[in-house]
Amino acid sequence: MSKIQMKTPLVEMDGDEMTRILWAEIKEQLLEPFVDLKTEYYDLGLKHRDETNDQVTVDSAKATLKYGVAVKCATITPNAQRVEEYNLKEMWKSPNGTIRAILDGTVFRAPIQVNGVHPTVRTWKKPITIARHAYGDVYKNTEIRVPGAGKAELVFTGTDGKEIRQTIFEFKGPGVIQGLHNLDASITSFAHSCFQYALSVKQDLWFSTKDTISKTYDHRFKDIFAELYENQYKEAFEKAGITYFYTLIDDAVARVVRSEGGFIWACKNYDGDVMSDMIATAFGSLAMMTSVLVSPNGQFEYEAAHGTVTRHYYRYLKGEETSTNPVATIFAWSGALRKRGELDNLPELQAFADRLENATLDTINSGIMTKDLALLYEGEAQAVNSKQFLAAIRERLVQN
Ligand code: NAP
Ligand code: MG
């Protein structure tokens, strides 16, 4: 059997713990036997990030700007306990945060659906993808605990010295104040990423804010999306047979629950934080969520939404076999290979991505799955360990 050829390398970002173990096995079992895998390898494992003073993370993001498509393994975001565990020079920042800052992207999260694991919302037939704006609002706020009576004002001083001043509230007693901001540039990037991603997957795009109450702040979001749509994307959307739809956040929530799914829901930072957990849980399992970072210039970085599955890794280190679910990581690879195939005009590579996903879903549909899924599965399920699960996928991949 001759291997499928690639033209441009994928940017490969290796990671930590249990997902790093799965990463190597996925490559060895499911990719390298079938594809003449071309990657530019960056080791984002915590030890190597520390050795390079985190330069490797920056380099991998720059390589993504250059080549356009990356695939990333889950990585540890260090906290105080990790600094001790890995004897780190510094508490390095979240790699995802660093990469996102360089690519200026938006994260799209979508569940992988299988027969036998039913969404809690019974009308949902197709996945719902959440796009979360990742800058500003309450995540970059300034807060004051008001001690007692007094006047709170909102003041903006321009570089020309001109002042805009408004009263927030005349306090008669203690309370709290919060200052928020966002940037036209960031909202515009977010909107571009959303429109481009909708076009790339040919799904409707919904966007929701609370502009009836927030007549300036949220309204700015609504206007930027509307202007971009009218001026740059409307024609392409009509050609692709998809729609852009704006509604209030509370109306959106009601419609989402009554919908069949199959669309992208763009959310402001806080809404996206909350709604993505709601959607993930209602679809079944964090281990079945994919995630892709899309830059406004059309670069793509694919990964699983879950972390490094530390608890399983500690068991693995003790020599135990673990039943860690590799599906979202497999789909990160298939997503990246398909995109590379699309950009390089390699139909065989795109077809391989489909085969890999189908072999994975067929394995689960035949009743073979990891423990986390077996617990949710309605029907006869055989819970296997990760190695056995990957072997079962490989068997199907060889046959098709
Ligand atoms: P996690 O790795 O997602 O795991 C949390 C729990 O969810 C696991 O203990 C496991 O439950 C279950 N789970 C998640 N993925 C699974 C899978 N593929 N198969 C089976 N079960 C799965 O989150 P965490 O424990 O909070 O974080 C661990 C590390 O990951 C942290 O250092 C964090 O910084 C990092 N992290 C990285 C990313 C990223 O790179 N994108 C995202 C999130 C977290 P049971 O133990 O009950 O089986
Ligand atoms: Mg959250």
Side-chain angles (χ1 to χ4, degrees):
M1 195 175 65
S2 68
K3 291 189 191 181
I4 296 162
Q5 295 299 309
M6 293 177 67
K7 279 185 197 156
T8 317
L10 281 177
V11 178
E12 176 183 353
M13 305 169 174
D14 206 345
D16 288 299
E17 300 195 314
M18 204 58 221
T19 39
R20 186 182 180 98
I21 307 296
L22 292 176
W23 190 262
E25 286 181 10
I26 290 168
K27 282 176 66 180
E28 191 190 311
Q29 298 293 321
L30 304 181
L31 303 174
E32 283 160 355
F34 307 97
V35 179
D36 192 16
L37 201 62
K38 269 204 180 88
T39 74
E40 196 165 292
Y41 180 84
Y42 293 87
D43 183 1
L44 267 56
L46 187 49
K47 186 165 167 284
H48 193 238
R49 270 183 276 152
D50 195 51
E51 284 162 5
T52 63
N53 297 328
D54 212 20
Q55 186 60 38
V56 66
T57 308
V58 173
D59 291 345
S60 72
K62 287 189 176 155
T64 309
L65 287 176
K66 176 175 165 196
Y67 291 113
V69 187
V71 57
K72 180 179 170 292
C73 179
T75 46
I76 292 169
T77 298
N79 54 18
Q81 181 260 318
R82 298 297 198 170
V83 172
E84 204 172 301
E85 181 184 354
Y86 283 81
N87 192 19
L88 300 178
K89 296 184 220 163
E90 249 182 64
M91 198 186 291
W92 304 111
K93 286 192 205 140
S94 146
N96 286 30
T98 302
I99 295 165
R100 197 161 60 208
I102 293 170
L103 295 182
D104 184 23
T106 298
V107 172
F108 295 81
R109 287 190 162 191
I112 301 156
Q113 282 186 282
V114 289
N115 301 336
V117 179
H118 298 291
T120 313
V121 178
R122 59 167 195 273
T123 50
W124 290 354
K125 297 200 169 62
K126 290 175 251 167
I128 295 168
T129 302
I130 294 262
R132 172 182 170 188
H133 184 213
Y135 179 83
D137 302 352
V138 73
Y139 301 87
K140 273 210 189 300
N141 65 0
T142 310
E143 302 185 321
I144 298 175
R145 169 93 170 83
V146 174
K151 183 176 174 185
E153 291 181 298
L154 199 55
V155 183
F156 170 79
T157 314
T159 44
D160 59 0
K162 273 196 194 134
E163 214 174 65
I164 306 173
R165 183 180 292 263
Q166 281 187 33
T167 302
I168 297 171
F169 195 67
E170 307 254 8
F171 284 85
K172 305 252 168 347
V176 282
I177 328 171
Q178 184 178 55
L180 307 183
H181 79 279
N182 221 300
L183 308 170
D184 280 12
S186 174
I187 303 165
T188 303
S189 290
F190 175 50
H192 275 299
S193 297
C194 290
F195 287 125
Q196 290 189 11
Y197 186 72
L199 284 170
S200 96
V201 294
K202 294 205 168 41
Q203 286 184 357
D204 290 347
L205 175 66
W206 297 18
F207 181 45
S208 53
T209 72
K210 193 71 183 173
D211 67 288
T212 48
I213 298 296
S214 173
K215 290 186 165 62
T216 303
Y217 196 107
D218 278 18
H219 214 283
R220 189 75 199 122
F221 281 77
K222 180 183 175 180
D223 284 347
I224 287 175
F225 268 73
E227 278 163 31
L228 273 186
Y229 179 68
E230 284 302 321
N231 299 332
Q232 294 189 40
Y233 291 100
K234 196 173 179 194
E235 228 170 273
F237 265 54
E238 284 171 359
K239 225 184 193 167
I242 57 175
T243 54
Y244 168 62
F245 169 61
Y246 176 85
T247 189
L248 283 173
I249 178 78
D250 37 352
D251 179 50
V253 169
R255 285 173 187 261
V256 163
V257 171
R258 286 196 308 263
S259 78
E260 280 198 356
F263 54 87
I264 299 151
W265 183 12
C267 291
K268 284 181 60 196
N269 211 348
Y270 174 82
D271 298 340
D273 185 354
V274 177
M275 291 306 158
S276 65
D277 279 349
M278 193 269 286
I279 297 277
T281 309
F283 268 104
S285 160
L286 188 62
M288 298 290 280
M289 280 297 260
T290 61
S291 180
V292 53
L293 175 71
V294 181
S295 83
N297 307 311
Q299 283 104 10
F300 295 78
E301 182 234 299
Y302 293 83
E303 67 172 331
H306 61 76
T308 59
V309 211
T310 311
R311 293 211 304 177
H312 294 211
Y313 182 59
Y314 290 157
R315 272 187 260 143
Y316 169 87
L317 289 181
K318 283 194 226 147
E320 291 173 37
E321 286 291 346
T322 72
S323 185
T324 315
N325 189 336
V327 172
T329 305
I330 295 172
F331 273 62
W333 276 102
S334 59
L337 289 170
R338 181 182 296 109
K339 182 55 75 179
R340 198 63 273 167
E342 232 174 82
L343 296 175
D344 291 346
N345 195 18
L346 297 169
E348 262 196 87
L349 193 60
Q350 293 178 62
F352 174 76
D354 293 342
R355 277 171 56 208
L356 177 57
E357 290 180 2
N358 289 334
T360 305
L361 298 176
D362 286 350
T363 303
I364 299 169
N365 290 335
S366 77
I368 300 170
M369 64 200 77
T370 47
K371 215 152 120 198
D372 56 307
L373 270 188
L375 289 171
L376 303 168
Y377 198 75
E378 291 173 25
E380 281 285 306
Q382 186 193 345
V384 296
N385 66 39
S386 304
K387 272 212 174 86
Q388 294 164 326
F389 183 62
L390 292 175
I393 297 172
R394 177 166 176 171
E395 234 172 72
R396 280 164 184 77
L397 202 50
V398 170
Q399 283 162 9
N400 296 310

